[in-house]
Amino acid sequence: GQQVMQIPQYQHVQEGEDFTTYCNSSTTLSNIQWYKQRPGGHPVFLIQLVKSGEVKKQKRLTFQFGEAKKNSSLHITATQTTDVGTYFCAAINNAGNMLTFGGGTRLMVKP
Amino acid sequence: NAGVTQTPKFQVLKTGQSMTLQCAQDMNHEYMSWYRQDPGMGLRLIHYSVGAGITDQGEVPNGYNVSRSTTEDFPLRLLSAAPSQTSVYFCASSYSNQGPKETQYFGPGTRLLVL
């Protein structure tokens, strides 16, 4: 089945540093979604990317969808302690009826 | 709106016991799904439903049953609990009956320990 690989698995940063997580697939994706899960919480939808080369911004978060629609990234500028959590990408399978999640990147921010 | 609710929050079972995890949503969403989350493995789809009366298997359906008799409710049944089913279970819903092409709203989760 379709798989999405996410790297890195963990990332420690100093508050104020930037952070990036990457999502890669061997097959072309129809779209990709990003979620954030705070420690002990549930996943919360952040954004969905659909178009090749698409770039979307939410305050300090920048989301990109690759030109070939096989990879995506989430970049956080000047991290804050409130950014702590695990970030997941998720892709819809070819049949359009299931979401496949990446393994997630756990972000830890030192104040 | 309460959104997506799940009960119980925590549960301890003995091997071989059965139980039902409850999930309900009050947003009139067509698509509902169950995931399990294990450390380092992200979320894996167990079962999903595109509307009342329709269910289908996800990536890891063995040992679980679901039903969707109403739009609001989507219970997950563990037939005979095994230690490998120790996990955190999340229910999610989205508006479209075409599948998860829209925002997925997750419930708070049920933490299950099988001894």
Side-chain angles (χ1 to χ4, degrees):
Chain A
Q2 178 171 279
Q3 288 190 341
V4 285
M5 306 302 295
Q6 204 171 339
I7 55 171
Q9 199 170 2
Y10 305 95
Q11 184 84 58
H12 285 86
V13 299
Q14 196 73 39
E15 188 173 20
E17 291 181 338
D18 291 356
F19 159 78
T20 305
T21 174
Y22 300 90
C23 189
N24 299 298
S25 172
S26 58
T27 60
T28 301
L29 305 171
S30 59
N31 57 6
I32 198 152
Q33 299 178 1
W34 285 93
Y35 291 80
K36 176 184 178 181
Q37 184 178 24
R38 294 182 185 274
H42 59 276
V44 175
F45 177 83
L46 294 175
I47 209 158
Q48 177 166 262
L49 304 173
V50 179
K51 298 177 183 176
S52 168
E54 190 170 14
V55 178
K56 288 188 177 180
K57 292 189 176 184
Q58 292 179 351
K59 297 183 181 179
R60 295 178 294 105
L61 277 61
T62 301
F63 303 84
Q64 293 190 357
F65 202 6
E67 294 289 343
K69 299 183 74 174
K70 290 185 176 182
N71 56 72
S72 181
S73 65
L74 158 59
H75 179 82
I76 302 178
T77 303
T79 55
Q80 300 175 358
T81 55
T82 53
D83 295 325
V84 164
T86 301
Y87 293 84
F88 292 98
C89 63
I92 297 175
N93 68 343
N94 292 335
N97 56 3
M98 294 190 216
L99 268 181
T100 299
F101 280 79
T105 296
R106 183 179 172 192
L107 172 63
M108 288 155 278
V109 180
K110 302 175 203 173
Chain B
N1 287 351
V4 181
T5 57
Q6 291 183 239
T7 56
K9 289 185 179 180
F10 305 96
Q11 183 71 49
V12 180
L13 290 178
K14 293 181 180 178
T15 296
Q17 286 184 315
S18 62
M19 80 159 295
T20 300
L21 280 63
Q22 302 291 344
C23 174
Q25 51 87 14
D26 60 358
M27 299 175 283
N28 202 32
H29 284 177
E30 292 290 338
Y31 186 91
M32 296 186 74
S33 54
W34 276 102
Y35 292 87
R36 60 176 289 173
Q37 184 174 35
D38 303 298
M41 297 189 70
L43 294 106
R44 292 182 292 169
L45 182 66
I46 305 172
H47 285 285
Y48 67 95
S49 168
V50 298
I54 305 169
T55 63
D56 209 340
Q57 296 181 348
E59 301 171 74
V60 289
N62 292 341
Y64 307 95
N65 274 354
V66 292
S67 60
R68 186 94 181 270
S69 56
T70 67
T71 299
E72 294 78 18
D73 301 296
F74 191 43
L76 177 72
R77 280 182 285 278
L78 279 69
L79 309 173
S80 177
S84 60
Q85 293 179 304
T86 293
S87 189
V88 180
Y89 292 85
F90 288 102
C91 178
S93 72
S94 64
Y95 178 74
S96 171
N97 64 359
Q98 298 300 310
K101 296 179 181 177
E102 299 174 350
T103 301
Q104 298 296 303
Y105 294 87
F106 282 83
T110 294
R111 284 155 177 76
L112 177 67
L113 172 63
V114 183
L115 301 174

